[in-house]
Amino acid sequence: FSVSYFMYDLFAMRYYGVSDISIESHHFCTILGYLATLYSGYGGKFVSLALVVTEISNGSMHMRKLLDLAGMRYTKIRNVMQNVYFALYIVFRSIGGATLMWIWYKTEGMMMVVGVACMYLWLQSLYTMPMMVGIVKKELNLKRKLKMVNSEAKKWWFSENPMIREIIDNGLVSE
C-alpha cells in the first residue's frame, strides 16, 4: 500500500506542477527502500517503523495547507497546526531518523540499498529543519510588525482578522 501511495504522490505532484527535485528524490528513495525490503523479504517491521517516523507529521502539515486554502492563513489555529507539524517533524525525523539508522545497522539481512535510502531521507530531513526554524522566525517577525502598525491586528482562532489582511495587502507590513 505505501509503495502505491508514494508512486501516486510522485506522479500527482508532477502532474499538478508542485514537484521539485527534493520531493522527487524523497519519493524515489522511499519507493526504492520499500521495494528492496519486499524483494529481500527482510525489514518489514523496519519499514513500518520508518513509515511512522517519517509520516507522523503529515496530518498537521495537510491541515495547515487546508487552512491556507480556506482563507485562514492568518489565524491562531493555523499557527497551532504549523507548530505541531514542525515539532513532530523535527523530533521524529531527527531522533527517529538516527534510531532507524542504528536499527538498520544492527539488523542482519536488510539490503544495503535500504540503509542508503534511509540515510538519504534522514539527511534530507536534517537539511530541512533550519528552513522550518526560519519560517517560525519569519512568523514571529510578522507578528511583531503587525503589532507595531496596529495593536488590534491580532490573529483570531477560526477566522482571519480583516485588519491583518488589509495591513498586508496595503503594503504596510511585508510577509
Side-chain angles (χ1 to χ4, degrees):
F1 175 72
S2 291
V3 173
S4 60
Y5 162 76
F6 280 100
M7 291 176 80
Y8 160 78
D9 204 37
L10 176 68
F11 293 118
M13 290 183 80
R14 183 170 270 209
Y15 177 81
Y16 289 109
V18 294
S19 189
D20 61 18
I21 189 68
S22 174
I23 197 69
E24 287 189 11
S25 62
H26 166 83
H27 283 85
F28 178 74
C29 280
T30 304
I31 291 166
L32 191 63
Y34 273 114
L35 291 178
T37 301
L38 289 171
Y39 173 78
S40 70
Y42 293 101
K45 290 179 187 176
F46 177 82
V47 295
S48 295
L49 179 60
L51 185 64
V52 170
V53 166
T54 57
E55 303 299 318
I56 197 162
S57 60
N58 279 5
S60 51
M61 176 188 70
H62 290 302
M63 183 56 115
R64 181 184 70 149
K65 186 61 178 173
L66 289 171
L67 290 167
D68 287 351
L69 294 171
M72 296 174 66
R73 166 74 179 85
Y74 301 106
T75 60
K76 287 182 179 183
I77 190 67
R78 200 265 189 194
N79 279 14
V80 168
M81 287 299 114
Q82 179 165 282
N83 292 338
V84 168
Y85 166 53
F86 288 174
L88 288 172
Y89 186 98
I90 289 170
V91 169
F92 275 82
R93 296 231 183 165
S94 61
I95 297 167
T99 304
L100 287 171
M101 288 306 306
W102 179 251
I103 292 169
W104 172 81
Y105 177 73
K106 289 298 206 178
T107 304
E108 288 189 36
M110 276 200 279
M111 297 177 74
M112 177 65 83
V113 70
V114 174
V116 170
C118 184
M119 175 66 83
Y120 175 81
L121 293 169
W122 181 45
L123 293 174
Q124 185 184 44
S125 296
L126 294 175
Y127 175 77
T128 303
M129 290 175 199
M131 289 182 244
M132 292 179 160
V133 171
I135 291 169
V136 171
K137 287 180 179 178
K138 185 178 169 186
E139 289 282 333
L140 291 172
N141 191 33
L142 176 63
K143 182 179 178 179
R144 183 184 55 77
K145 287 179 181 178
L146 286 168
K147 190 175 182 180
M148 286 173 45
V149 171
N150 186 334
S151 63
E152 297 298 315
K154 295 178 181 173
K155 291 182 179 178
W156 298 339
W157 273 101
F158 299 105
S159 63
E160 279 193 358
N161 180 343
M163 209 177 293
I164 294 174
R165 182 64 69 181
E166 184 180 323
I167 289 169
I168 291 171
D169 288 348
N170 289 333
L172 299 174
V173 170
S174 62
E175 288 188 80

